Amino acid sequence: MACNGDGCQSTCYKDEQPCSKPIESPNLISKICIKCKLNDAVSGYGGVDDGRFCADCFRSNLFGKFRLAVTSNAMITPTDKVLVAFSGGPSSRVALQFVHDMQERAQKNFDASRDRSLLVFGVGVVFIDESAILSIPSGEMEEAVEVISSVVSSLAPPTKELHIVPVENVYSSDSSDGKEKLIKLVGSVSDPTGREDMLLYLRMLALQKVASEFGYNRLVLGSCVSRIASHVISATVKGQGYSLPADIQYVDARWEIPVVLPLRDCFAQEINMFCHLDGLKTFRFSTVPCSSINSLVSSFVALLQEENPSRESTIVRTAGKLIPFQFNRIPEIVDGKVPLATRRRQKRYNLKPNDSVSSESFCPLCNSSLDKSEIVDSSNVDSSRSSDIFYSACCSSCHFQILPSDSISMEQFYKDLPQPVLSRAKQTNNGNLSLLREQIQDCLLSDCED
């Protein structure tokens, strides 16, 4: 992915928060591992568990966090087909490795069973090429594709299909001017933060399109504690506090293909150390630092983390007290092929109706949840133009940072939007009308009343 360099700190699924200093060779200090009590502990990566575990226990501990997140939230079941978003960075590399390890164990269980009743979930990998809108040397992109292809092909069976997709594929495959429209669309956003966020939304659309077209029913992102902590603060600064709980949960099913974050409890420092210990191949693009809110907040959180290794965890735990939405869970499993233990576990850990907030209205551009006060009836919009109706349906954050302020520029911006966004806008308008009707149902006269 094109923005996984040190300069980009956008809320993407890539290197969620690089370590403030490069990892040196792990130091074997005099402390003994607190888990096995046998081997010397490993230090030097700066995480909260620095100097507590030996190399083997460190690996086991990190994978244990991943496995607990997956099993507790029913992220992956035997009947699933999982798509892993891989940018080449450490976080997505570890996510891919752990998903592969789970699949490999499932395959061994399948081979060992007599009746072959233990199904094995499928895995695919996707890389989004963003060179159309980011200035990336062609040599770097070719190297990135080569590295990613070699990583995926080197994984043991079962075989994983690799999808290398340009971001302009969010437009129809029949459209010959998709790249031109994309460049105009992103170029029309003058705010640096708005451009980063716009790229994030387009990237998610591209991932969703690949997952939908190839029959995947889960999308795995490599977001970790470090990236989520930065997002908590940046989203608050940008006025996205109401929709913030939706972005920081283990599961986000407001999308057509549910998005899952199995590394939500893992720190970037741990992830970088894991890649170092296991020699996992990663790749970074050379990008120019930008002065966006996302970048400034990430630098601020990194400084806090240097002062106190538990700061990121504190930020995420505090934000975790916000009430999630009803779509922050995997729909209840009724498939008889899924083991009973998995279904019981999901029922135990899933959100209860009283512990979540219902949201039926979303911003047509960024897909963030809208508060009732932000919902606008399209019939009350002064203009009948589709661009003005679209503008009125978007959230306040998109108004301030992304959407053009004048009607002429807004009209062109609307024309350059990909079809999935326009379709979602129509669904949003219909949903808003239905919601408003439900709210005033008691005040309406029935057909039989005078």
Side-chain angles (χ1 to χ4, degrees), residues 254-447:
R254 69 185 131 163
W255 302 94
E256 177 188 357
I257 309 300
V259 176
V260 297
L261 309 180
L263 296 181
R264 184 184 178 275
D265 297 325
C266 305
F267 291 86
Q269 295 83 1
E270 296 174 325
I271 290 171
N272 280 284
M273 176 54 83
F274 185 90
C275 291
H276 182 84
L277 291 174
D278 280 21
L280 300 182
K281 188 182 297 184
T282 60
F283 182 86
R284 293 180 186 273
F285 288 101
S286 57
T287 56
V288 179
C290 53
S291 57
S292 66
I293 290 176
N294 303 320
S295 178
L296 294 174
V297 167
S298 295
S299 300
F300 172 69
V301 173
L303 289 175
L304 292 179
Q305 183 71 6
E306 287 184 6
E307 296 175 359
N308 187 338
S310 65
R311 290 289 174 85
E312 292 174 343
S313 178
T314 301
I315 294 172
V316 175
R317 284 203 313 269
T318 303
K321 298 182 183 297
L322 297 172
I323 300 177
F325 294 90
Q326 290 184 4
F327 54 75
N328 285 129
R329 60 187 177 91
I330 295 293
E332 193 162 334
I333 301 172
V334 295
D335 192 345
K337 296 181 180 179
V338 177
L340 181 60
T342 300
R343 284 179 279 167
R344 285 178 174 173
R345 190 183 299 113
Q346 183 196 26
K347 190 173 183 179
R348 175 184 176 186
Y349 286 97
N350 244 347
L351 297 172
K352 306 299 186 294
N354 296 334
D355 300 332
S356 59
V357 176
S358 175
S359 179
E360 301 177 4
S361 299
F362 304 94
C363 173
L365 184 57
C366 67
N367 206 30
S368 62
S369 300
L370 296 177
D371 188 12
K372 291 181 180 179
S373 61
E374 294 182 284
I375 300 175
V376 178
D377 186 353
S378 58
S379 62
N380 294 331
V381 179
D382 296 335
S383 174
S384 60
R385 290 188 299 185
S386 299
S387 59
D388 292 333
I389 296 174
F390 178 87
Y391 183 92
S392 65
C394 291
C395 66
S396 57
S397 180
C398 289
H399 285 167
F400 184 73
Q401 293 176 320
I402 296 179
L403 299 176
S405 55
D406 62 285
S407 58
I408 297 178
S409 300
M410 183 62 212
E411 181 73 20
Q412 185 59 50
F413 182 91
Y414 181 80
K415 290 180 180 178
D416 291 333
L417 286 170
Q419 188 58 43
V421 177
L422 301 180
S423 300
R424 190 166 63 203
K426 293 178 181 179
Q427 294 175 0
T428 299
N429 289 333
N430 294 335
N432 290 347
L433 290 174
S434 300
L435 180 61
L436 288 171
R437 183 175 181 84
E438 289 179 7
Q439 293 173 352
I440 63 173
Q441 185 66 41
D442 295 338
C443 303
L444 298 176
L445 294 175
S446 63
D447 294 337

Side-chain angles (χ1 to χ4, degrees), residues 15 21 30 74 141 154 170 305 319 379 414:
D15 304 328
K21 53 186 178 181
S30 56
M141 181 54 67
S154 65
V170 294
Q305 183 71 6
S379 62
Y414 181 80

Side-chain angles (χ1 to χ4, degrees), residues 162-237:
L162 174 61
H163 311 273
I164 299 178
V165 181
V167 68
E168 56 265 31
N169 269 25
V170 294
Y171 293 89
S172 173
S173 57
D174 299 332
S175 176
S176 59
D177 58 347
K179 184 175 181 179
E180 181 181 348
K181 282 187 174 182
L182 179 65
I183 294 174
K184 288 173 58 180
L185 180 69
V186 177
S188 64
V189 182
S190 58
D191 182 72
T193 304
R195 279 198 299 272
E196 280 191 1
D197 291 346
M198 188 68 197
L199 178 57
L200 170 67
Y201 309 146
L202 293 170
R203 183 184 305 122
M204 178 56 75
L205 288 178
L207 292 171
Q208 288 287 321
K209 185 176 181 180
V210 173
S212 178
E213 289 181 350
F214 290 90
Y216 296 96
N217 65 336
R218 295 287 187 277
L219 177 60
V220 175
L221 303 187
S223 299
C224 61
V225 172
S226 308
R227 180 61 257 161
I228 294 174
S230 296
H231 178 67
V232 167
I233 298 180
S234 62
T236 305
V237 171

